[in-house]
Amino acid sequence: MGTNQSLEITVFTGAKRAGKTTWLREHKSGSAGFLSPIVSEKRQFLLLPSLETFPMEEPDGQLQVGKYAFSKDAFAKVEAHIHQNLQAEELIIDEIGPLEIRGEGFADLLRLILAQYNGKLLIVLRTEIVREAIEAFQLDRFPLTQIEFDDL
């Protein structure tokens, strides 16, 4: 971490399908980053602020988590989008999950953001993995606020 880095992290937590992504879409659509809405029971990526949407899931996807298979190309597109928006005032990552905890998915991207980004970073985490994610990425070395979706 550079000495001039100014990073504030908000961890936005809640249960699966609690409405976190919908709330963010309604209240944070002007921010940069990405959301992960479910459309017709399929996970999508929604880039912010452009609102471009494309599938996250792919039947023969290379990234596997449980019964889900995800497209590496879709993840690469999101990563390129984040790189282009590292100057944004607020950056949203929806979400960091089991894939990242085991070092895949957006794990390297999150490490890059933590090393280089200056601004407000909002990370969506399921309630049950908050502590594990904070430890895995050492999020508590930055000013950290936790907001529980049910408390909004």
Side-chain angles (χ1 to χ4, degrees):
M1 178 171 81
T3 56
N4 295 329
Q5 187 180 24
S6 174
L7 175 61
E8 297 175 26
I9 299 174
T10 299
V11 173
F12 189 50
T13 66
K16 275 186 193 180
R17 295 191 170 216
K20 301 178 299 294
T21 298
T22 301
W23 189 91
L24 288 169
R25 185 171 188 174
E26 292 171 358
H27 294 89
K28 298 282 190 173
S29 61
S31 299
F34 72 93
L35 300 178
S36 302
I38 297 174
V39 179
S40 300
E41 297 304 313
K42 296 288 183 190
R43 287 173 171 70
Q44 307 284 315
F45 282 123
L46 172 66
L47 302 182
L48 298 174
S50 70
L51 303 181
E52 178 185 355
T53 305
F54 51 92
M56 178 190 312
E57 294 184 52
E58 183 177 274
D60 297 320
Q62 306 89 343
L63 299 170
Q64 297 281 328
V65 177
K67 64 181 181 177
Y68 301 104
F70 301 114
S71 164
K72 276 191 176 182
D73 291 340
F75 274 67
K77 187 172 181 176
V78 170
E79 286 193 32
H81 175 74
I82 296 295
H83 282 276
Q84 294 169 357
N85 285 277
L86 284 176
Q87 300 304 315
E89 184 178 321
E90 182 174 50
L91 195 58
I92 297 174
I93 306 298
D94 177 23
E95 75 182 270
I96 296 299
L99 195 61
E100 287 75 22
I101 299 289
R102 71 180 197 217
E104 298 179 71
F106 294 122
D108 289 340
L109 178 65
L110 180 56
R111 286 187 188 94
L112 173 95
I113 292 166
L114 295 174
Q116 297 182 6
Y117 179 64
N118 291 297
K120 296 176 183 176
L121 176 62
L122 188 149
I123 302 171
V124 177
L125 296 168
R126 288 184 213 144
T127 304
E128 66 269 13
I129 68 164
V130 170
R131 182 62 28 217
E132 192 175 2
I134 288 172
E135 290 172 9
F137 295 99
Q138 300 174 322
L139 299 178
D140 53 0
R141 62 192 153 126
F142 301 98
L144 183 67
T145 302
Q146 185 171 333
I147 297 174
E148 176 64 42
F149 176 73
D150 289 341
D151 293 341
L152 295 178

